[in-house]
Each structure stands twice: as structure tokens, then as C-alpha cells.
């Protein structure tokens, strides 16, 4: 761009940061439902399952607490983000970013990051309540520092894709809710107890790796190698889905 | 130098041809208008001009270069009709964020937002979410985001829809300031004739996806010929038993108690003279005799103009 009158473009980091802070600011308006509806839902599920689970079934307890914690992230990053992107797309709101030529991955990453950030308080509260309910150790909860951003980013990437690819806003909503149901179902039931077919499905749902990583830290002897592998899978899915969402974003406005 | 030069633009949606071979050239530093009723193809054309739609045929040059999205982002600030992307942000945050996305650093964006909010008298609502504002203020806030980060070309799709007269003047003044002080080029879509006549240097009149005329508002109006528009507003039932009134009743377009007529100048003057000199004056509440407007141009060109506003 040699013409001095032409404006400069922001760096990728600045663009991502601008989308992130803007989305975070907009979500402040709705923080109560965003932060706590998801947490209440997860805590309710844990209370319900506490009544059903056998008293000494620690495997199930670990899985329920980890699954319910990641569900908070899924509710916001997958379900609400798919709805939001679907609605923005339907109403022409994506034109704003497209005309500014904000890089697609910056929009996806900024939006995903802000939604993931919003889930942190609710997920932490859910994990703490879950540990108390099921008598699990608190010492491994520091792993949430890694689990929540990675689960959030991978689910938000999928949520963004659903929002962009759904032919209509209503279908984006349905897809987001279905996605959350899958996360709920496959997150709460220990993999070993699923039928073979569903174990295959579980293997391709990114949130289950986050659930497994968190559940592993509740064990007396933690398999750290397994935890690292699970988190790397989350990271890979996050990078791939956000990159794909960015590419789809560029195409979806034409 | 041209801000925009479009040649042979065609865009179809299924069987419907929204733009049917549009050519236009907008000069740098000019306020160029696209006027036409709803459905004329204005928004489709604009979306192609800002790279959001790919033409089925034709080409576009922007500031002398082939159009691409990166060039649009560097050269153009676009105000779409929808502002949902910023609806949940406070007015200040919406303007600041847009400024950052146009390459300003944080502190520069903050200063630019403060100046714009003052210029457009949005200070009182600066910290309210855009979506919670009245329709007019909301549009004004969206307009403020367009001015953030100074681009040499402004593409504005109906910027003053829903604005009260004061806010509309603020928008027009801001546009004029950008043009006179910074030599900005403006492409302005409107279906408001008053806006077209007030701020446009040149105007392309669109109908059914085609440009049916393109010139300065003055020259377009001069082309209508020796015609005047006579408006009569009756206080009560018009006295159609009066011969002078009866003659006009046959020619008038009646909207409630308002009669609108386009007549050759001499006939218009004579008709008004007859009414104001006779007993019909008692029933007359108001009248205007005006030179042709762009609406008359539009009608003269053979297009139906139900969607044009004259407010």
C-alpha cells in the first residue's frame, strides 16, 4: 500500500485483542446468565447424579465432576457461541468485520477466547462444589488453568463453525444445543461403560479429552503422561477448528 | 482520480437480476449518491463495491486499483444498514473497537472515539449499549463507528434513516467536514430526496437494477423542463364546486387533504393565482409552488417512485 492516504491495518494480535475485549465487554451485560445459569445447570446435574451413583463408586464420581465442569464451558462456548454467530450471520452483523477485513481466525479466536474466559468462574465453582459433593481431592484442580482454555477454545471453534455453517440461525441454535447434549452425555458417562459404538463417537468429541484430563487429576496416582496427551489433543482440535472457522468466515459473507 | 469506477456490474439472485449492467464513476473528493426506491438494487451494488458480494459480471476499481478486500479495508469505511455487530457494545466501546480494527493503537482509538462522540453529540449516551438506544441515536452511533480510524472513502448505506432533523444535519455536517478538510470521497445511498438534494455533488438514479440517470442534482432537475410542483393543503373539504378547484381536482395526486400537482410553469402559476384570488382561499390551509425535485426527475424518467421519501 504505497498510497499514504490509505489506512493501516491492525496486527493479528491487535485485531484478536479488539474482538476479544469487545466481546467480553458485551457479555458483561449478560454476565449473570452466562456465568451462573451454566454453573447452576452443572451443579444440578451433579446433585441429581449424587443421589443415583453408588456410594463408593469413585470412578463415576470423578467422571461426573469432570464432565459437569467441562459442561459449563460447553454451554457457553459451543451452545451460546453457535447461537450468537448464527444470529449475527443471519442479520448481516458479520459484514461489520468482513468489511474491516479482520482476519477470520482473529474473529474466531477473539470471540472464542472471550466466551471461554466467561466460563472460568462458573467452571471453577462447579469443580469445587463437585469435589465437596463426591469427596474428591482439590489438589489437582490447578489443571483447570490448562483444561478450561483448551476445552473452551476447541469447543468455541466447533461452536463458531456450527454458527457459520448452519443454513439458518434457528438451525445454528439446534446444532449448538445438540452439540452440548453430546458433550453432556459423553462427558458424564465413563468411557469404559459406553457401548463400543459410542466409544468411537467419544473418541472424536474434543471435550471428552478435557474431561479425561481433569478426571485423571482426581485419582490418587495421576497419569500425567495421559493428561498431557489429552491436553495436546484439545490444543490440536482448537487450532484446527479455529483455523477452519476463520476460513469459513471469509467465505460465508459472500 | 476516481474513488470508484465500476463497469458492467451484474448480480443475480436466482432468476432475479438485482443489478443489471451498472456503470458508474465517482470522482475523488466528491459526494456521490445512489438514489432509488426500495428494491432498486442499491444495497446489492454497495455490497459489491465494498467487496462483500462478488459480481456475476463486470469489474470494480477502487482508488485506481482493482478491488480486493484488503484494499477495501485500507481505503473504505462502510456503514451497512444493519448494526447488530455493535448492538451489544457501549457506544464508546463500539467506536473504539472499530478504530482499533482500522489500525489505531489503543490510546489513539480512545482519543478518536472521544472526539467523534463529541462531534456527533453522543456524549450523554456514550456508556449505554448501542442496542438500547432509540432508533435515531442507534443509527448515529453506527455512523460514529464509520468515522473512526479515518478512511479516504466513506460508503454509507442510508446513514440518516430514522434520524431526527437535528441529528441528520449533524451527519451531513460531519460528511461535509470530512470532504472539505480531508478530501474524503463519499458514496451515499439514500431514498430520501431532500438528503440527495442537500448533500450530493452527483447522483446516480437507480431503478430495477439499472442506472437510469447520472448527473448533478441541479442538471437532472433542469432536465425536467419548465415544470413546477404545486402543493395544496386544504383546511376542510376542498371546494370542488369552484371551477378553478374542479380543474385541478382531476389532475391532482390526493393524499388526505394534500393535493400534489406537476404542471407546466405558466399553468401552475395561473392555477395558484385563481385559487388565492377567489373564495377557495377560505378553505386553503397552506400551499407551495416549487421548482422540480429529484422526485420529479424520477417520475419524469418513467420510474415509479413509491419508496422515495421527501421528508
Amino acid at each position: 500500500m504505497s498510497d499514504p492516504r490509505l489506512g493501516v491495518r491492525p496486527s493479528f494480535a491487535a485485531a484478536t485483542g479488539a474482538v476479544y475485549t469487545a466481546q467480553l465487554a458485551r457479555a458483561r451485560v449478560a454476565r449473570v446468565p452466562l456465568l451462573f445459569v451454566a454453573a447452576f445447570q452443572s451443579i444440578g446435574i451433579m446433585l441429581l447424579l449424587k443421589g443415583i451413583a453408588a456410594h463408593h463408586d469413585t470412578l463415576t464420581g470423578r467422571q461426573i465432576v469432570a464432565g459437569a465442569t467441562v459442561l459449563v464451558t460447553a454451554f457457553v462456548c459451543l451452545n451460546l457461541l453457535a447461537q450468537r454467530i448464527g444470529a449475527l450471520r443471519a442479520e448481516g452483523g458479520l459484514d461489520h468485520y468482513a468489511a474491516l477485513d479482520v482476519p477470520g481466525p482473529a474473529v474466531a479466536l477473539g470471540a472464542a477466547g472471550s466466551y471461554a474466559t466467561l466460563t472460568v468462574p462458573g467452571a471453577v465453582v462447579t469443580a469445587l462444589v463437585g469435589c465437596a459433593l463426591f469427596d474428591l481431592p482439590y489438589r489437582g484442580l490447578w489443571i483447570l488453568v490448562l483444561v478450561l482454555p483448551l476445552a473452551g477454545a476447541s469447543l468455541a471453534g466447533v461452536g463458531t463453525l456450527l454458527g457459520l455453517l448452519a443454513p439458518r440461525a434457528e438451525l445454528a441454535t439446534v446444532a449448538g444445543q445438540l452439540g452440548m447434549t453430546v458433550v453432556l452425555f459423553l462427558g458424564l458417562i465413563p468411557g469404559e461403560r459406553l457401548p463400543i459404538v459410542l466409544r468411537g463417537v467419544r473418541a472424536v468429541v474434543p471435550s471428552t479429552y478435557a474431561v479425561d484430563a481433569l478426571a485423571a487429576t482426581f485419582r490418587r496416582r495421576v497419569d500425567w503422561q495421559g493428561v498431557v496427551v489429552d491436553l495436546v489433543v484439545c490444543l490440536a482440535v482448537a487450532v484446527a477448528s479455529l483455523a477452519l472457522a476463520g476460513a469459513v468466515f471469509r467465505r460465508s459473507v459472500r | 482520480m476516481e474513488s470508484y469506477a465500476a463497469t458492467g456490474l451484474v448480480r443475480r439472485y436466482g432468476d432475479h437480476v438485482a443489478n443489471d449492467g451498472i456503470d458508474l464513476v465517482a470522482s475523488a473528493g466528491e459526494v456521490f449518491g445512489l438514489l432509488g426506491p426500495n428494491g432498486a438494487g442499491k444495497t446489492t451494488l454497495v455490497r459489491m463495491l465494498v467487496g462483500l458480494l462478488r459480481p456475476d459480471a463486470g469489474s470494480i476499481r477502487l482508488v485506481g486499483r482493482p478491488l480486493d478486500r484488503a484494499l477495501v479495508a485500507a481505503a473504505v469505511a462502510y456503514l451497512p444498514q444493519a448494526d447488530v455487530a455493535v448492538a451489544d457494545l457501549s457506544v464508546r466501546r463500539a467506536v473504539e473497537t472499530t478504530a482499533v480494527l482500522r489500525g489505531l493503537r489503543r490510546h489513539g482509538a480512545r482519543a478518536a472515539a472521544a472526539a467523534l462522540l463529541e462531534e456527533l453529540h453522543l456524549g450523554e449516551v456514550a456508556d449505554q449499549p448501542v442496542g438500547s438506544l432509540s432508533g435515531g441515536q442507534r443509527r448515529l452511533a453506527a455512523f460514529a463507528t464509520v468515522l473512526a480510524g479515518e478512511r479516504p472513502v466513506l460508503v454509507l448505506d442510508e446513514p440518516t434513516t430514522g434520524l431526527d432533523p437535528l441529528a441528520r444535519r449533524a451527519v451531513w455536517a460531519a460528511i461535509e467536514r470530512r470532504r472539505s478538510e480531508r478530501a474524503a470521497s463519499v458514496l451515499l445511498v439514500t431514498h430520501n430526496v431532500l438528503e440527495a438534494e442537500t448533500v450530493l455533488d452527483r447522483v446516480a438514479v437507480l431503478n430495477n437494477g439499472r442506472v437510469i440517470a447520472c448527473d448533478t442534482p441541479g442538471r437532472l432537475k433542469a432536465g425536467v423542463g419548465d415544470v413546477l410542483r404545486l402543493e395544496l393543503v386544504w383546511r376542510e373539504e376542498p371546494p370542488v364546486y369552484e371551477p378553478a378547484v374542479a380543474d385541478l381536482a382531476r389532475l391532482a395526486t390526493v393524499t388526505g387533504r394534500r393535493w400534489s400537482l406537476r404542471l407546466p410553469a405558466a399553468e401552475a402559476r395561473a392555477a395558484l393565482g385563481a385559487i388565492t384570488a377567489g373564495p377557495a382561499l377560505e378553505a386553503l390551509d397552506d400551499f407551495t409552488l416549487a421548482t422540480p425535485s429529484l422526485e420529479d426527475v424520477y417520475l419524469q424518467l418513467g420510474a415509479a417512485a413509491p419508496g422515495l421519501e421527501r421528508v
Side-chain angles (χ1 to χ4, degrees), chain B residues 228-305:
Chain B
L228 292 179
R229 177 190 283 273
L230 176 61
E231 300 270 348
L232 302 170
V233 183
W234 300 102
R235 191 172 295 145
E236 51 203 51
E237 281 305 309
V240 286
Y241 46 82
E242 292 283 338
V245 178
D247 288 346
L248 295 180
R250 283 191 294 276
L251 304 169
T253 304
V254 179
T255 315
R257 292 210 171 127
R258 178 181 292 273
W259 288 13
S260 181
L261 300 109
R262 256 181 309 280
L263 298 170
E267 276 180 44
R269 280 193 212 98
L272 185 61
I275 287 173
T276 50
L281 182 62
E282 287 295 309
L284 196 62
D285 190 59
D286 196 9
F287 66 88
T288 52
L289 190 62
T291 52
S293 71
L294 281 176
E295 188 181 4
D296 299 300
V297 173
Y298 204 81
L299 292 168
Q300 173 97 354
L301 289 164

Side-chain angles (χ1 to χ4, degrees), chain B residues 92-110:
Chain B
R92 190 191 310 278
R93 174 74 71 177
V95 179
E96 262 182 50
T97 303
T98 311
V100 171
L101 293 175
R102 292 213 177 94
L104 266 65
R105 293 185 181 278
R106 266 287 159 212
H107 63 274
R110 208 166 292 143

Side-chain angles (χ1 to χ4, degrees), chain A residues 58-162:
Chain A
T58 50
L59 168 65
T60 306
R62 290 194 297 264
Q63 194 73 32
I64 288 170
V65 175
T69 303
V70 172
L71 182 64
V72 175
T73 306
F75 179 82
V76 177
C77 291
L78 183 66
N79 184 19
L80 294 185
L81 188 55
Q83 288 183 36
R84 167 76 179 157
I85 299 279
L88 266 183
R89 180 164 162 254
E91 294 168 36
L94 293 179
D95 281 6
H96 177 75
Y97 295 110
L100 287 163
D101 201 31
V102 182
V107 175
L109 189 60
S114 66
Y115 273 69
T117 305
L118 286 168
T119 70
V120 170
V124 169
V125 168
T126 303
L128 288 172
V129 172
C131 286
L133 264 179
F134 288 88
D135 202 18
L136 297 174
Y138 296 90
R139 61 180 147 69
L141 286 184
W142 65 265
I143 199 77
L144 287 175
V145 173
L146 295 172
V147 166
L148 293 180
L150 291 174
S154 59
L155 289 168
V158 176
T160 307
L161 272 173
L162 292 177

Side-chain angles (χ1 to χ4, degrees), chain B residues 34-215:
Chain B
L34 296 173
L35 175 71
N38 294 328
K42 305 186 298 286
T43 294
T44 297
L45 174 58
V46 163
R47 283 173 56 81
M48 288 195 286
L49 293 176
V50 295
L52 294 174
L53 270 180
R54 217 188 292 274
D56 294 327
S59 67
I60 303 167
R61 293 182 74 80
L62 167 62
V63 294
R65 306 175 196 192
L67 183 129
D68 65 48
R69 286 265 279 273
L71 179 61
V72 169
V76 176
Y78 168 52
L79 176 69
Q81 282 187 19
D83 57 12
V84 286
V86 296
D88 292 320
L89 305 181
S90 72
V91 177
R92 190 191 310 278
R93 174 74 71 177
V95 179
E96 262 182 50
T97 303
T98 311
V100 171
L101 293 175
R102 292 213 177 94
L104 266 65
R105 293 185 181 278
R106 266 287 159 212
H107 63 274
R110 208 166 292 143
L116 281 169
L117 296 183
E118 193 182 332
E119 180 181 358
L120 295 170
H121 315 297
L122 283 166
E124 278 183 22
V125 294
D127 297 312
Q128 293 181 30
V130 172
S132 72
L133 303 178
S134 69
Q137 281 182 318
R138 186 171 168 158
R139 196 68 187 141
L140 202 55
F143 178 69
T145 66
V146 166
L147 300 183
E150 301 292 344
R151 289 296 186 257
V153 181
L154 304 176
V155 177
L156 311 171
D157 196 347
E158 301 190 357
T160 57
T161 301
L163 295 191
D164 63 48
L166 213 61
R168 195 183 300 165
R169 301 241 164 236
V171 168
W172 292 343
I175 292 173
E176 181 51 35
R177 220 169 285 132
R178 293 323 173 273
R179 192 259 292 272
S180 59
E181 293 172 10
R182 293 162 201 174
S185 308
V186 182
L187 192 100
L188 190 149
V189 179
T190 183
H191 60 191
N192 182 313
V193 171
L194 176 64
E195 178 162 83
E197 294 184 358
T198 310
V199 297
L200 302 183
D201 295 322
R202 281 196 311 137
V203 55
V205 184
L206 258 73
N207 193 52
N208 290 331
R210 290 168 181 267
V211 175
I212 55 174
C214 184
D215 210 329

